[in-house]
Amino acid sequence: MNTETILYEVADGVAKITLNRPDKLNSFTVQMHGELAEAIKAARTDESVRCLLITGAGRGFCAGQDLGDRAVSPGGEAPDLAESLEKRYNPLIRSIADLEMPVICAVNGVAAGAGANLAFACDIVLAARSASFIQAFCKIGLVPDSGGTWSLPRLVGPARAAALMLTGEKVPADKAADWGMIWKAVDDEALAEEAEALAKHLATQPTAGLALIKRALKETWTNTLDQQLNLERDLQSLAGRTRDYQEGVDAFMNKRQPAFVGK
Ligand code: T3D
């Protein structure tokens, strides 16, 4: 793939996307959105890919919208931010939520604005101890977007989400892990290796089943218990028809290692 603002590589069943505008802390431009959308589509349509890993180059993960990517000045014409969300940020978050494979985010440094909320859209988030999360929107008069007003209250509860979104206070990685905002914080030097090992491991697992788990977890937020029980029944029915389910049971019964294919 020919890209300037991201790196895309596939190995061992894992597609790895590295946001790659380190001098601007990997903030989003229209071009980066386009390349990111292409890369996620490539991962989705490549049968060899069974896990996606997203990280950033340099000292930051992603500082949200590149504030210099369009002209905004006092008294000037207001940009169409609804269009920006409708055309770029919302499709990005939906494409991650709907991706039928686990998505791991390795937050290597500061994650601000839409950069933080991109991380929260992923299924498993690991962060370097030196990384931090900032709902920076309020400091420039904007509303948290990229699904942040949906994900953050669900991750940390309404009281913490409100304070973080109204103050823009920085949350260091260890505190983010303590609060359940992310899965865990790891030493800076260990982040890449640990995230890649996890991604490679998941890519060898029954990924069709993992995609169904992802669906159940997504729908639980709006379902009643009855609806969720019905959904579990339907998803289990699908899972029970996969080759990986047969393989998993057979491997267990015969005390051997399973060889899952993701179908
Ligand atoms: O607009 C729409 O389409 C709607 C959607 C909006 C989504 C959003 O994400 S809105 C929120 C946008 N993001 C921000 O407001 C965050 C702005 N950045 C910061 O507050 C700070 O940079 C950080 C707290 C993230 C990191 O601070 P620090 O001190 O570690 O680094 P720094 O020195 O501020 O930044 C390093 C460089 O990156 C610097 O460039 P320079 O001076 O060395 O040439 C800085 O200007 C640049 N940079 C950082 N963030 C952005 C950025 N350049 C453009 N846009 C950025 N968001």
Side-chain angles (χ1 to χ4, degrees):
M1 187 177 298
N2 193 12
T3 53
E4 287 176 354
T5 62
I6 63 160
L7 305 173
Y8 180 76
E9 26 185 335
V10 175
D12 301 321
V14 177
K16 180 177 168 191
I17 295 174
T18 306
L19 308 178
N20 193 28
R21 302 181 66 239
D23 53 328
K24 297 294 175 195
L25 301 182
N26 305 316
S27 52
F28 286 105
T29 57
V30 170
Q31 182 184 4
M32 192 165 97
H33 269 294
E35 294 182 352
L36 195 47
E38 277 301 304
I40 293 172
K41 184 177 170 198
R44 193 182 67 236
T45 53
D46 181 342
E47 285 222 345
S48 76
V49 172
R50 291 167 61 194
C51 183
L52 174 64
L53 171 61
I54 302 177
T55 191
R59 74 174 180 88
F61 170 66
C62 176
Q65 169 67 29
D66 183 326
L67 299 175
D69 198 38
R70 68 168 78 89
V72 178
S73 59
E77 201 179 318
D80 187 348
L81 299 190
E83 186 198 42
S84 170
L85 266 56
E86 195 58 35
K87 283 198 175 158
R88 292 180 279 280
Y89 287 97
N90 291 356
L92 168 65
I93 299 305
R94 288 191 181 109
S95 69
I96 291 171
D98 294 342
L99 201 62
E100 293 184 354
M101 65 182 76
V103 182
I104 296 172
C105 189
V107 180
N108 52 297
V110 64
N117 296 339
L118 165 65
F120 303 145
C122 298
D123 300 311
I124 302 180
V125 185
L126 287 79
R129 283 228 153 73
S130 65
S132 55
F133 298 84
I134 310 173
Q135 293 295 316
F137 308 87
C138 59
K139 298 188 175 188
I140 54 168
L142 289 186
V143 176
D145 59 26
S146 304
T149 58
W150 189 90
S151 55
L152 197 57
R154 286 169 166 83
L155 290 167
V156 300
R160 284 170 170 167
L164 293 178
M165 290 187 164
L166 295 172
T167 66
E169 188 175 301
K170 181 197 279 196
V171 183
D174 274 319
K175 188 171 178 180
D178 285 350
W179 280 10
M181 195 183 289
I182 62 170
W183 184 42
K184 65 173 165 177
V186 302
D187 290 341
D188 286 20
E189 319 74 65
L191 178 71
E193 196 175 327
E194 196 161 323
E196 280 174 27
L198 175 62
K200 279 181 196 167
H201 166 71
L202 289 177
T204 65
Q205 295 304 293
T207 39
L210 300 189
L212 297 175
I213 294 173
K214 195 170 154 165
R215 240 173 84 189
L217 291 173
K218 187 178 163 197
E219 295 192 25
T220 190
W221 298 114
T222 47
N223 275 350
T224 61
L225 173 61
D226 265 344
Q227 289 168 324
Q228 195 68 11
L229 288 171
N230 289 340
L231 177 69
E232 289 176 1
R233 174 201 62 209
D234 295 344
L235 297 180
Q236 201 68 297
S237 166
L238 294 173
R241 289 164 214 246
T242 60
R243 249 190 276 168
D244 282 344
Y245 166 62
Q246 294 172 335
E247 169 66 7
V249 173
D250 189 68
F252 178 80
M253 295 309 291
N254 291 297
K255 302 191 188 304
R256 65 172 174 82
Q257 283 302 312
F260 295 119
V261 293
K263 289 181 180 153

